[in-house]
Amino acid sequence: MNGSDTFNTAESGSFVGAQVGQMHDSTIYVVNPDDPPEQDFNVGCRYLADGVPSKAREHLEQARARGFSGPELHFHRALAILSKRSYRDLAKEDRVVLRELSARGTPTGRDAWRRGLGAVSALLSCVDGSGGDAEAAAAGLDDLPAVQRDLVLRHLDLVLTGGMKQRVWHRVKKNAEKERFSNERVDRVWAYFEAEPAGLRAELPEPRSTGGREIFVGLLLAAASLAPVAVVTGSALSEGSLTALLACLAVLTFGPAAGWHVADWHHTYRRRLILERAYGHGRSPSSPPKGGFADQVEREFEHYFAKYAPDPLDRNAWLQRTRGVRRSLRDEVVRIYRETRIEADQVKWLIRFLVRDVRQRLLAGQPVEPYEVHRVDSAVKVRCAALCLATAAATAMVVVTAFQQAPVSTAGCLVLTAAAARFAVPLWLKIHSERRRFAEESQEYEAVKAARETEYERWKNKLDALRPREEEMEAWLGADKTLILDETLRNHRLAWHEVVAHAFLPTPKRPCKSAHVRKGPWRYSRYEIRVFLVTEEGVREATAVLDFARSRWRTRSRKNYRFDAVSSVHVEIASTRRYTLNITLNNGPSESIVVSEAPNRDAVLDEESQTDAPDINLDTAGFSHTLRVLEGIAAEGKPWFGRAGDPPSADSSDPSAAA
């Protein structure tokens, strides 16, 4: 069932071939010292459902050691031993445990878990050389309740082969087709690979640059300015004329109003200049260092501004129109989130929100650039000019009248007033502007914080609601692998009775997105699935590239080679984070396959689980079984498969032993 050759590509802010993975913080795999043994059992079942049988067995055995028991526990213990392994992969100790567990099962009865354990025992008897009845085992499997039957079919996938596999294959395939697009997979997988959003932040307003000291100096200068004015006014009023009285009243009426309008004009103009400088108005843009956090944030802004253009046909004009606000918003995001543990992907929710806000303002006819808000209206300018002219005219009349009464004192007062006002007026304009700026920015901060908090909660709740569970991710991948296997069988025209053994090797296909739950296996948006089918005549290998998000794949290559064509198989361990499988053919080049490679971000965020991470990832991939099959082909060829009942040596399942 081939899909179109369309895959996820690296988006803005990601690096092709070396993308940073995401980690979702979770406690689903955590067992605290004070937890009851049931918690160990639950975590073990969860690990088994999520495709990590080795960790599942560890927790199930721990639960048993702590006193937890019952048919359900023993059923899951058996599945944990057999999951992602063939019967030939079982060590002697594993077979002893399985024989002990088989005695606890029963083919009939009311307890579904005991019956499930009995069905597992019957199926094993068909492959362990003890001569079990395949028809009776298949019938017992069919009689199980759906829950137990599906668990057996899933976890004994590699145990059942040949004719026994043929008997149950129709049900396995049917389950895979049902699981493939279940639970709204296509609409939800993307959420698994989304980064955990960084907490909301907003830029705090700059503290006022004027304080008590400036106010004290301003009061002294105001007193030095107004005292001479009072003397001049008194001299003018001493004449006793109506004109002088009206002039003084005009100064007292129009003067404060003119001063308020001047202060308002000055504040608006000053704020505009500050914002123009902040938004880079009139200067060429500067680019941040390549590859850094600021560069990634800038690329995300460019990506979303282009994506959310109001008119896609006029995108260039939109980008030119918003160049200043784009630069300023980038600088703000970089300032408030520039930390070692914050990645650009974690602030994409905020970037999208900011871009949508700019677009909404443009569509509503509101200013796009913030400095455009700070414009002095023409009406304000006219009123300010009129008030200033009226005040100046009235002041001139007062001064003329005062000169007539006391010319010397009036001249001295004017000089003193001018000298003091030279410093008092700019200082009080600055004090007034700073007070208004701080009040405006504080109000804006609260509004911005509230809006971003609403958006953050909306986005986080959406991710939490849509993000698939680990068991869903594993079930979907298992369904894809089953259907790819079915397609491979059909392409090679093979029936299960012709297949001696089969193996999978799922590896990430770069570039791709990657993510995992803490202490869980890595998941990828693109996989390269290799299927190995071993027959009496040789090995069939098929490689499919899987777009996991949409469950589409294409078969990239098909190979056929004889047993004696495989020269050597070895695992190269570059570090605990990278395992490479090297397969060398006698008549061809060697093939290097990166089996496990944890993304770099894991080293920072998940240090406490680094010792388990390689084993978890290899276990999820079923690597031990695949390696054992390939090693058997390289070492002995066809005779190795004739010894189906021989248990492996103690270290044969350890990848490091093959290095």
Side-chain angles (χ1 to χ4, degrees), residues 183-191 466 549:
N183 299 323
E184 301 177 333
R185 169 184 181 172
V186 175
D187 296 326
R188 295 175 58 212
V189 167
W190 66 269
L466 292 178

Side-chain angles (χ1 to χ4, degrees), residues 22-95:
Q22 305 299 333
M23 187 188 73
H24 308 308
D25 200 3
S26 176
T27 59
I28 61 173
Y29 298 129
V30 175
V31 179
N32 297 312
D34 297 334
D35 289 338
E38 288 81 3
Q39 178 64 10
D40 261 312
F41 171 72
N42 292 332
V43 171
C45 292
R46 189 171 293 119
Y47 264 125
L48 185 61
D50 299 346
V52 194
S54 62
K55 297 294 291 183
R57 187 177 181 186
E58 175 184 322
H59 283 277
L60 292 172
E61 294 298 337
Q62 182 67 22
R64 176 172 172 268
R66 296 176 61 191
F68 188 80
S69 186
E72 187 176 1
L73 170 67
H74 301 310
F75 176 78
H76 284 91
R77 286 176 62 204
L79 296 187
I81 295 174
L82 297 168
S83 184
K84 298 191 177 183
R85 303 167 78 186
S86 68
Y87 187 77
R88 74 181 74 241
D89 295 330
L90 302 179
K92 292 180 180 179
E93 295 79 5
D94 297 329
R95 301 184 185 192

Side-chain angles (χ1 to χ4, degrees), residues 19 79 93 126 197 203 221 223 264 283 287 297 345 358 379 388 394 419 444 452 481 498 542 552 568 643:
Q19 290 170 299
L79 296 187
E93 295 79 5
C126 300
E203 201 162 29
L221 290 173
D264 183 60
R283 59 184 173 89
S287 299
V297 170
D345 284 348
V358 173
C388 288
E444 182 182 358
R452 293 182 183 181
K481 288 162 59 178
E498 301 175 275
R552 297 178 182 176
S568 66
R643 303 196 304 275

Side-chain angles (χ1 to χ4, degrees), residues 313-359:
L313 299 179
D314 199 15
R315 183 175 284 111
N316 291 333
W318 155 256
L319 294 177
Q320 182 65 26
R321 174 76 172 83
T322 58
R323 183 176 60 180
V325 69
R326 191 164 67 245
R327 186 186 309 117
S328 179
L329 292 175
R330 176 206 68 186
D331 293 343
E332 179 191 354
V333 171
V334 170
R335 282 195 300 269
I336 62 179
Y337 284 107
R338 177 173 272 167
E339 297 178 4
T340 303
R341 292 177 178 266
I342 298 294
E343 301 287 344
D345 284 348
Q346 294 180 270
V347 296
K348 284 167 65 174
W349 69 271
L350 177 58
I351 294 173
R352 287 192 296 266
F353 173 70
L354 294 174
V355 174
R356 291 199 305 268
D357 179 65
V358 173
R359 184 181 66 174

